[in-house]
Amino acid sequence: MKYVGYLVIVFIVATSCSSYQKALKSEDVKVKYDLAESLYKEGKYPKANRLFEQILPKYAGKPQGERVVFMYADALYKDEDYYTAAYQFERFSTSYPNSQKSEEAAFYSAKSSYMLSPVFSIDQADTYSALNKLQGFINNYPQSEFLSEANEMVQKLTSKLEKKELEIAKNYSKTYYYKSSIKSIDNFLLDYPGSSYKEEALFVKLDASYKLAINSYEYLIKDRLLEAQEAYDDLLKYFPNTTFADQASKIQEDIKEELSKRS
């Protein structure tokens, strides 16, 4: 009985594969469409997409074209081919602006771009692209059911950019480019005044300012120590209970000691 059951399964699989291969080679667009839709509904996205790719040009300008393009884009997204999905969803929104699926397509075009955003430590071109798409979606569909998720993705992408900018400033300081570090932090604070990394940024500025001061020519040290003291005051002003309290207090003590030598 087990052997018979095995043969049945093999027969079903072979028949299924045979039907798929026949559909791929068929000149009948309807055969391709029906099987592509069936495979899409079954979650067999790679196979469905091969058929969608074949029939897509055939349905251009036809009523069924709207459905084909959307299913194709959605299958690409679910198969994690986010580059192509982003393009196809955007194409759908442009080609069918009055469709009931237009808003959903615009959202998933933006979300596909979001899924392409890399870790903060490498080039963020895809992150900026995703932010632009998400902001465009939010502006165009302020009442959308997807609005909350879109805003959440914007926040995550923005946080990623903030983290990258902060790491750049920290690396400047680690490599002794203290002026560049301070300048980067000043730009960071202007660009992201409400950043969750603000506390760390202010401490990085304090640390870089002090190191710049004590590594300066003698005639510059006092003024730069006073600037470092201002950086300390700013940290305590915004974060009186800062998690960097011990390190910051040690730097302030060193600032005072160095200033006392030059009073």
Side-chain angles (χ1 to χ4, degrees), residues 198-204 206 231-249:
K198 184 173 182 176
E199 179 181 0
E200 186 176 1
L202 288 170
F203 174 74
V204 171
L206 165 62
Y232 173 81
D233 293 340
D234 282 343
L235 174 62
L236 271 291
K237 173 184 174 182
Y238 290 104
F239 300 96
N241 299 310
T242 178
T243 55
F244 298 98
D246 291 343
Q247 297 151 278
S249 294

Side-chain angles (χ1 to χ4, degrees), residues 7-137:
L7 287 177
V8 170
I9 292 171
V10 170
F11 175 76
I12 292 172
V13 171
T15 303
S16 174
C17 291
S18 176
S19 298
Y20 178 66
Q21 292 301 324
K22 285 180 180 178
L24 284 174
K25 297 174 184 177
S26 174
E27 297 296 323
D28 191 331
V29 177
K30 180 71 164 54
V31 169
K32 293 178 185 288
Y33 175 92
D34 289 343
L35 184 56
E37 183 175 30
S38 177
L39 291 167
Y40 167 75
K41 289 178 178 178
E42 292 172 14
K44 297 176 180 177
Y45 303 119
K47 285 187 173 182
N49 284 336
R50 285 191 66 189
L51 290 167
F52 282 135
E53 287 166 4
Q54 289 185 350
I55 65 176
L56 210 59
K58 306 292 185 182
Y59 283 96
K62 295 181 180 179
Q64 304 98 315
E66 178 181 337
R67 181 169 173 76
V68 172
V69 175
F70 188 87
M71 284 193 294
Y72 178 45
D74 193 48
L76 288 165
Y77 177 84
K78 288 172 178 171
D79 196 38
E80 299 183 5
D81 183 355
Y82 298 121
Y83 273 112
T84 316
Y87 169 76
Q88 290 297 338
F89 274 125
E90 186 171 0
R91 176 188 175 193
F92 180 93
S93 293
T94 303
S95 301
Y96 307 101
N98 299 319
S99 170
Q100 291 182 346
K101 292 283 191 178
S102 181
E103 177 184 328
E104 186 177 353
F107 172 73
Y108 277 101
S109 177
K111 187 170 182 178
S112 295
S113 294
Y114 168 82
M115 298 299 289
L116 293 168
S117 174
V119 295
F120 75 88
S121 57
I122 61 179
D123 183 76
Q124 294 297 302
D126 285 325
T127 300
Y128 285 109
S129 176
L131 273 172
N132 287 334
K133 280 193 173 183
L134 284 164
Q135 196 57 60
F137 174 80

Side-chain angles (χ1 to χ4, degrees), residues 151-220:
N151 281 321
E152 184 178 336
M153 287 189 284
V154 167
Q155 290 174 0
K156 287 181 179 179
L157 292 177
T158 302
S159 180
K160 188 182 293 187
L161 293 177
E162 292 171 7
K163 179 69 172 174
K164 183 172 182 65
E165 292 302 313
L166 180 58
E167 289 301 314
I168 289 172
K170 288 165 71 174
N171 284 332
Y172 276 135
S173 188
K174 288 176 184 176
T175 51
Y176 314 111
Y177 290 97
Y178 302 121
K179 284 185 180 180
S180 295
S181 179
I182 295 164
K183 181 64 176 177
S184 291
I185 292 296
D186 286 340
N187 290 335
F188 174 90
L189 294 170
L190 284 172
D191 292 339
Y192 308 108
S195 173
S196 59
Y197 298 108
K198 184 173 182 176
E199 179 181 0
E200 186 176 1
L202 288 170
F203 174 74
V204 171
K205 181 178 180 179
L206 165 62
D207 184 62
S209 296
Y210 173 68
K211 288 174 179 175
L212 174 64
I214 60 173
N215 286 284
S216 297
Y217 291 112
E218 182 61 38
Y219 73 94
L220 293 172

